[in-house]
Amino acid sequence: MRALYDWTMRLADHPRALWALAIVSFVESSFFPIPPDVLMIPMILAAPRKAWLIASVALVSSVLGGLLGYAIGAFAFEQIGQPLLASLGKGDAMTEFNTRFNDFGFWAVLGAGVTPFPYKVITIMSGWTGMPVATFMATSVLARGIRFFAVAGLLFYFGEPVRDFIEKRFGLVATVFILLLFGSYLLVSYL
């Protein structure tokens, strides 16, 4: 973890740093397990003057990647998931789940977009359940904007003390981060 932190701190001033963040943010929204915060936080700590640009790149890339996740849910489900559920006699359960998810869809997307809950799960489920694309997009922009700009704002205004804290207590910070990431995946598996 320390080597990854040091690498991302060096990457922050690299000419391709924003491209790396864009790629990670895009693929994380549909299938990649590592959140963009892993790159975003050290990049902002290393270059606080770029905080708003970094947050904007993460936001745009994440929302575009969310559309890919939505498409995966919308198109792969019809070809694979629906026939499988119908063959198991669960077609009615699928309809009930779709209705319930879409009734709370705004809140589901908002919650997953802001919290450590894996956003990719919600992007795929949104496509699978047929959530209106406009609702999905608006909520994704709002949720991811809150998350990435809150992180950018905190690091922009309190970055040096945060950086000192991370560097002095890197083991603790890395452990808490891994526990939060692991806990999020456990939460998803039990929902």
Side-chain angles (χ1 to χ4, degrees), residues 70-179:
Y70 186 97
I72 289 170
F75 299 115
F77 180 77
E78 285 183 15
Q79 297 162 348
I80 299 167
Q82 192 172 21
L84 178 62
L85 287 175
S87 71
L88 295 171
K90 298 291 185 184
D92 294 336
M94 178 195 68
T95 303
E96 181 183 336
F97 177 81
N98 287 356
T99 302
R100 289 173 56 204
F101 179 81
N102 285 334
D103 287 345
F104 298 103
F106 171 86
W107 296 107
V109 175
L110 184 66
V114 173
T115 66
F117 186 87
Y119 178 60
K120 71 192 85 5
V121 172
I122 296 299
T123 66
I124 293 168
M125 287 174 62
S126 295
W128 174 49
T129 62
M131 175 185 285
V133 175
T135 301
F136 172 75
M137 287 298 296
T139 309
S140 291
V141 168
L142 176 64
R144 297 312 254 184
I146 290 170
R147 177 174 174 168
F148 296 139
F149 281 93
V151 168
L154 288 170
L155 294 174
F156 180 78
Y157 292 108
F158 305 108
E160 200 54 44
V162 171
R163 182 177 181 167
D164 290 343
F165 179 84
I166 289 172
E167 290 181 354
K168 288 179 182 172
R169 295 169 186 85
F170 185 78
L172 173 66
V173 172
T175 301
V176 168
F177 179 76
I178 289 170
L179 288 173

Side-chain angles (χ1 to χ4, degrees), residues 10-98:
R10 287 189 307 273
L11 178 65
D13 284 326
H14 192 277
R16 294 190 183 111
L18 289 175
W19 285 106
L21 176 63
I23 291 167
V24 168
S25 297
F26 182 87
V27 298
E28 182 272 338
S29 295
S30 51
F31 60 87
F32 193 63
I34 307 297
D37 307 68
V38 169
L39 284 176
M40 191 176 140
I41 291 170
M43 287 175 67
I44 294 171
L45 289 174
R49 69 194 180 283
K50 296 181 181 178
W52 311 118
L53 175 62
I54 291 167
S56 297
V57 167
L59 169 63
V60 170
S61 302
S62 181
V63 171
L64 291 175
L67 279 175
L68 175 61
Y70 186 97
I72 289 170
F75 299 115
F77 180 77
E78 285 183 15
Q79 297 162 348
I80 299 167
Q82 192 172 21
L84 178 62
L85 287 175
S87 71
L88 295 171
K90 298 291 185 184
D92 294 336
M94 178 195 68
T95 303
E96 181 183 336
F97 177 81
N98 287 356

